[in-house]
C-alpha cells in the first residue's frame, strides 16, 4: 500500500471512531506508519484528508442507496425512501454526520456545490439521469423536464448552502418541500 493510501486508510479509521475535531494529523500519520512531515507531501491539511475520506464514504453510502431503493415505484414513496435511507445511513456514520459540523461543514458544502463536486458526485448524476428518464417515459416535454431539473438544482443548492444552524430541521423541511413538489408534479 502506498503512503497516501495508508494515510487515507488510517484517517478513515480514526475519523470514523473519533470524529473530525478529536482527530489529529500526528495520530493519522502514526497509525499509517508515516512521519508527520511526510503527511504534508500528500495532504495540505487535516481538512484536505477529511474531504478525501468524506467523499469516498459518501459515495459508498449513496451507492448502497442506489442499489437498495426501488427507483421504479411510486414517485412520492420514492422521495420518502430517499430521505429515510439517507437519514438512517448518515445518522449512524460518524464521518457523514460531520456535514452539519460548523467546523468543517463550510468546506464540505463548498466542495459539493462547486462544479467539480457536482461532476464527481455519482449520486447527484444518478438522480438527474434517473428522474430525467422517468419523466421522458411519462411523456414530459423537454421544457417541462428542464423546469423540474431547475427545481432539483434548487434542492441541491439548499442542501449544500443551508445548515441546521441557519434553519433548524432543514433536512426535514427539504423533504416536506420535495414530497409536496413531487405530489403536484405526478398528480
Amino acid at each position: 500500500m502506498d503512503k497516501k493510501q495508508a494515510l487515507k486508510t488510517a484517517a478513515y479509521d480514526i475519523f470514523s471512531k473519533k470524529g473530525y475535531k478529536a482527530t489529529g494529523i500526528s495520530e493519522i500519520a502514526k497509525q499509517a506508519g508515516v512521519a508527520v512531515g511526510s503527511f504534508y507531501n500528500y495532504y495540505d491539511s487535516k481538512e484536505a484528508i477529511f474531504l478525501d475520506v468524506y467523499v469516498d464514504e459518501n459515495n459508498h453510502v449513496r451507492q448502497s442507496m442506489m442499489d437498495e431503493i426501488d427507483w421504479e415505484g411510486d414517485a412520492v414513496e420514492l422521495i420518502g425512501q430517499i430521505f429515510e435511507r439517507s437519514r438512517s445511513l448518515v445518522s449512524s456514520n460518524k464521518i457523514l454526520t460531520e456535514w452539519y459540523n460548523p467546523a468543517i461543514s463550510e468546506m464540505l458544502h463548498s466542495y459539493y456545490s462547486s462544479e467539480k463536486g457536482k461532476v464527481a458526485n455519482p449520486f447527484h448524476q444518478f438522480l438527474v439521469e434517473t428522474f430525467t428518464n422517468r419523466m421522458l417515459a411519462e411523456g414530459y416535454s423537454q421544457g417541462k423536464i428542464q423546469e423540474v431539473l431547475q427545481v432539483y438544482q434548487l434542492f441541491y443548492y439548499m442542501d449544500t448552502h443551508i445548515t441546521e444552524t441557519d434553519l433548524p430541521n432543514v433536512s426535514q423541511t427539504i423533504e416536506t418541500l420535495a414530497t409536496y413538489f413531487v405530489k403536484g408534479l405526478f398528480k
Side-chain angles (χ1 to χ4, degrees):
M1 180 181 325
D2 70 349
K3 287 182 181 181
K4 184 173 185 174
Q5 188 56 50
L7 285 165
K8 196 169 162 180
T9 300
Y12 172 85
D13 184 50
I14 299 167
F15 284 133
S16 63
K17 288 178 183 142
K18 298 173 81 174
Y20 175 78
K21 185 177 179 184
T23 299
I25 289 173
S26 59
E27 187 179 9
I28 294 169
K30 181 179 178 185
Q31 185 168 320
V34 173
V36 172
S38 294
F39 173 93
Y40 293 99
N41 292 334
Y42 303 97
Y43 292 100
D44 294 339
S45 61
K46 180 169 96 169
E47 290 86 3
I49 195 168
F50 183 79
L51 178 62
D52 206 7
V53 167
Y54 186 96
V55 167
D56 281 357
E57 185 65 3
N58 191 47
N59 288 346
H60 172 75
V61 164
R62 302 300 171 187
Q63 183 61 53
S64 72
M65 288 175 63
M66 290 186 281
D67 295 342
E68 294 168 13
I69 290 176
D70 173 16
W71 296 96
E72 303 297 319
D74 176 75
V76 175
E77 289 174 17
L78 181 56
I79 298 301
Q81 284 183 58
I82 292 169
F83 281 93
E84 187 281 319
R85 290 297 299 141
S86 185
R87 255 192 314 277
S88 140
L89 292 167
V90 169
S91 67
S92 62
N93 187 309
K94 205 158 183 85
I95 292 169
L96 296 183
T97 56
E98 299 288 355
W99 181 257
Y100 299 107
N101 176 351
I104 194 78
S105 65
E106 188 176 316
M107 188 264 301
L108 294 172
H109 293 195
S110 180
Y111 170 78
Y112 278 101
S113 64
S114 72
E115 270 317 299
K116 178 185 177 191
K118 286 180 190 172
V119 169
N121 183 343
F123 188 61
H124 169 65
Q125 301 302 328
F126 174 81
L127 289 176
V128 169
E129 186 180 319
T130 299
F131 288 119
T132 298
N133 289 339
R134 186 168 182 148
M135 288 184 287
L136 283 169
E138 302 254 346
Y140 284 81
S141 69
Q142 283 299 328
K144 184 57 112 176
I145 291 170
Q146 288 314 305
E147 284 178 18
V148 171
L149 291 178
Q150 270 306 117
V151 173
Y152 169 73
Q153 293 302 330
L154 177 61
F155 286 118
Y156 191 90
Y157 179 88
M158 288 186 294
D159 188 41
T160 58
H161 288 80
I162 302 172
T163 66
E164 291 286 328
T165 307
D166 301 322
L167 180 70
N169 299 315
V170 65
S171 177
Q172 185 62 49
T173 304
I174 291 172
E175 179 179 357
T176 300
L177 192 56
T179 300
Y180 285 106
F181 175 73
V182 170
K183 277 183 181 178
L185 191 63
F186 289 105
K187 113 181 150 167

